[in-house]
Amino acid sequence: MVLRPHVLLCALFVCACAADTSSAPGAVELVRSPRDREMSPSISDEDLAAFAAGQSDFAWKLFNESLDEPANLFFSPYSLYVGLGMTWVGARGETASEMAEALHFGPDPELTHGAFNAADLALRARATQIAEQGAQPFVLRLTHGLFAQSGEHFAEPFLDTLAEHYDSGLRLLDFGEAPEDARLAINRWVEQETQGHIEELLPSGSVDVDTTLVLANTVYFEAPWSMPFDPAKSSEEPFSRLDGSQVQVPTMHRFRRTTEYMTGDGYQAVSLEHDGGMLRMIFIVPDEGLFE
């Protein structure tokens, strides 16, 4: 038996303002630039490393901002990063500057969008390389749906950038005349993209006549371990909480092997590879509390 971790996340951003409407209720229209995706973005290793560092900074800050109350928290910083990068394509002036600062984007928008493209292409290439080596390829599906108000005009440079660097376009819905039909249409898209794992992302009432833009963002990940755990060796073991108390939890075991381990100021970490050796999961355990 191969133990496969499943990662599934959906993030939602809704923008609202007044807008004219013109399309029929429930109608969905795809608007996309005729330009092809740029398959060889000109991004240096140095620029790609700076992009990755900015993403990491964003991830840690978002993590800390989400710790208002003690609870289990699971999210995909990279998936959120891509979705927000797509909305940044259409931002201008103070809004664009504030987004760039919060998301740790570089000063050159074209370079940043090219880095998004290069990172996505590199991930896709790894899955192909793993299959060529005879290992079981991982499944990573990132989908980002921009749903906008029909009847609006969208600038060609905006659509060109979405197509060239994000392989995407816009789906038009009539929020003004049929907000409930629009909500159901988005939920159907999300259900399809997540292979049925999320059936109703948008609850009733979350979309109304003032909605003009919805960004729906999903990620699906599945990958086998390079050295699978044996289900027969799983057992209930004590787990120590931050307050010193213990609780019994199902714990996986496998035979002894050498793996990457490190310790630093206030934490320990271990790395476990997925099949093919091109992906790994890193577990970080703080000594006393969560990261500041």
Side-chain angles (χ1 to χ4, degrees):
M1 175 180 178
V2 177
L3 177 67
R4 299 187 178 95
H6 292 263
V7 178
L8 188 63
L9 174 143
C10 222
L12 169 68
F13 303 88
V14 178
C15 300
C17 63
D20 294 330
T21 60
S22 58
S23 63
V28 181
E29 178 186 359
L30 178 63
V31 176
R32 177 171 174 147
S33 167
R35 296 191 181 186
D36 294 328
R37 181 178 188 178
E38 174 56 65
M39 300 303 295
S40 300
S42 180
I43 305 296
S44 67
D45 292 341
E46 180 180 359
D47 288 332
L48 199 56
F51 170 79
Q55 179 196 330
S56 295
D57 290 340
F58 164 75
W60 284 118
K61 288 187 176 181
L62 179 61
F63 178 73
N64 283 313
E65 288 292 330
S66 303
L67 296 177
D68 293 336
E69 298 180 5
N72 291 325
L73 175 67
F74 194 85
F75 68 98
S76 169
Y78 177 68
S79 183
L80 292 173
Y81 211 52
V82 176
L84 291 171
M86 291 174 62
T87 61
W88 189 55
V89 175
R92 294 294 183 271
E94 185 178 357
T95 298
S97 298
E98 290 179 347
M99 288 185 68
E101 181 179 358
L103 296 169
H104 297 269
F105 289 160
D108 185 344
E110 185 64 22
L111 188 63
T112 298
H113 296 309
F116 271 115
N117 191 17
D120 181 66
L121 291 171
L123 283 172
R124 294 171 184 263
R126 288 192 176 193
T128 301
Q129 293 170 13
I130 289 175
E132 292 173 348
Q133 295 173 1
Q136 185 171 343
F138 63 87
V139 177
L140 178 61
R141 294 185 60 193
L142 295 171
T143 54
H144 310 279
L146 281 172
F147 298 85
Q149 173 61 45
S150 59
E152 294 290 333
H153 171 73
F154 300 97
E156 288 187 9
F158 171 64
L159 295 174
D160 290 344
T161 301
L162 287 180
E164 292 175 345
H165 294 306
Y166 297 91
D167 195 23
S168 183
L170 286 171
R171 291 171 174 81
L172 303 185
L173 293 167
D174 192 350
F175 297 108
E177 291 294 332
E180 179 62 11
D181 288 340
R183 181 185 75 88
L184 294 176
I186 296 172
N187 282 343
R188 286 194 297 270
W189 177 85
V190 170
E191 181 178 4
Q192 178 181 357
E193 294 298 324
T194 60
Q195 299 183 357
H197 287 278
I198 295 180
E199 297 180 357
E200 189 174 6
L201 171 67
L202 300 178
S204 178
S206 60
V207 174
D208 58 30
V209 295
D210 293 324
T211 301
T212 56
L213 177 68
V214 173
L215 166 60
N217 164 261
T218 72
V219 56
Y220 180 90
F221 175 67
E222 179 182 6
W225 299 110
S226 60
M227 299 295 293
F229 290 88
D230 184 353
K233 295 181 180 179
S234 297
S235 60
E236 295 286 327
E237 302 286 347
F239 177 84
S240 297
R241 294 170 169 164
L242 294 177
D243 62 6
S245 64
Q246 290 189 336
V247 61
Q248 295 292 116
V249 298
T251 304
M252 299 183 296
H253 297 268
R254 64 183 184 185
F255 58 84
R256 292 182 178 272
R257 62 164 297 182
T258 300
T259 190
E260 293 182 338
Y261 166 84
M262 71 176 296
T263 183
D265 185 14
Y267 73 92
Q268 300 178 72
V270 65
S271 172
L272 299 182
E273 285 189 348
H274 291 288
D275 198 18
M278 292 189 180
L279 293 179
R280 65 184 61 191
M281 182 175 289
I282 299 176
F283 298 86
I284 304 174
V285 182
D287 291 343
E288 296 183 359
L290 298 171
F291 297 99
E292 298 297 334

